[in-house]
Amino acid sequence: MKNMTLEGKIAVVTGGSRGIGRAVCLRLAGMGATVVVNYVSRPDAAESTVAEIISNGGKGAAYQFDVSSSDQVQSAFKQILADFGHIDILVNNAGITRDGLVAMMKEQAWDEVIDTNLKGAFHCIKAVSRPMMKQRWGRIVSIASVIGFAGNAGQANYAAAKAGMVGLTRSVARELASRGVTVNGVAPGYIDTDMTKELPPEVTEKIKAEIPMNSLGTVEDVAAAVAYLVSDESRYVTGQFIHVNGGMFMG
Ligand code: NDP
């Protein structure tokens, strides 16, 4: 595609150290962006992502901050703006699970998931929205989930956070559209990462049986959708979600 270059753009990817976030970092760096690889607890993983970006001829740096902390996000984005001069792309990818049936779910499990997966996206969007509006160009992409659309027993907290991300995305898309800033999301199905490795093998097999394509997706499948949404090719697309799920949910 002709306008898929990101030369000169600065991209921040939350949770860029592992899994889907790592693949997004590598993909965006491969398109020419300078990538800020955010992590919270695994500097080794973040540094390895940065090392791979650099060995592929790209540019990137690791930044530690907890997306659930308003103070940490504010000071990190201030620092990123000071270091690079602008932020053009934000990918809200950081996410966790704390699964359990709602009748047994501890309030802490609810709060941690909402604070990281939903409030974290709010903090980061808030931090970039003014600078992006001023520069009249920006791309915000949030990684939601099929679970936010379909629901899932044992994941009420996660589903609520991801469904919340849909409302957040569509509202902010309306707020920023006139300033050249698009706000979209990607809703992956089941993707092979550390997060899904926690599932017992029999559960993974059951999930596969419900996927028309009969296999889990790869992190590159998700990164490809993000690549389109952050490029100039998608300039007239805002408030939308691309479902990357092998056909398991057709929203
Ligand atoms: P992983 O568990 O493999 O990686 C999670 C990433 O998020 C890590 O980089 C981790 O950093 C980071 N992270 C976690 N908490 C925070 C925090 N508070 N602040 C900053 N960074 C944080 O997850 P996946 O790659 O599987 O998932 C990525 C996103 O995609 C999530 O939002 C998830 O909900 C979503 N998703 C995943 C699916 C799947 O099947 N895997 C399906 C649908 C959606 P660190 O390395 O420092 O721990």
Side-chain angles (χ1 to χ4, degrees), residues 125 163-177 181 183-184 238-241:
I125 290 172
M165 224 175 203
V166 177
L168 171 66
T169 296
R170 292 185 172 152
S171 303
V172 182
R174 289 179 185 275
E175 291 181 16
L176 305 187
V181 180
V183 189
N184 291 291
T238 198
Q240 306 301 320
F241 278 79

Side-chain angles (χ1 to χ4, degrees), residues 11-17 20-22 24-26 28 35-39 63 65 89-94 226:
V12 179
V13 180
T14 68
S17 45
I20 291 170
R22 177 186 168 92
V24 169
C25 289
L26 294 172
L28 302 194
V35 181
V36 169
V37 179
N38 158 251
Y39 68 99
Y63 281 66
F65 57 89
I89 295 165
L90 166 67
V91 181
N92 287 309
N93 165 79
V226 176

Side-chain angles (χ1 to χ4, degrees), residues 15 17-18 20 40-42 66-67 93 144 158 162 189 191 193:
S17 45
R18 290 184 286 123
I20 291 170
V40 65
S41 62
R42 294 277 307 270
D66 180 344
V67 294
N93 165 79
Y158 184 81
K162 295 299 187 180
I191 309 295
T193 68

Side-chain angles (χ1 to χ4, degrees), residues 18 32 63 168 195 219 235 237 246:
R18 290 184 286 123
Y63 281 66
L168 171 66
M195 190 177 267
V219 291
R235 58 164 285 277
V237 176

Side-chain angles (χ1 to χ4, degrees), residues 21 42 73 93 111 115 127 150 178 228 231-232 243:
R42 294 277 307 270
V73 170
N93 165 79
D111 287 344
D115 286 355
S178 66
Y228 166 67
S231 74
D232 272 325
H243 292 265

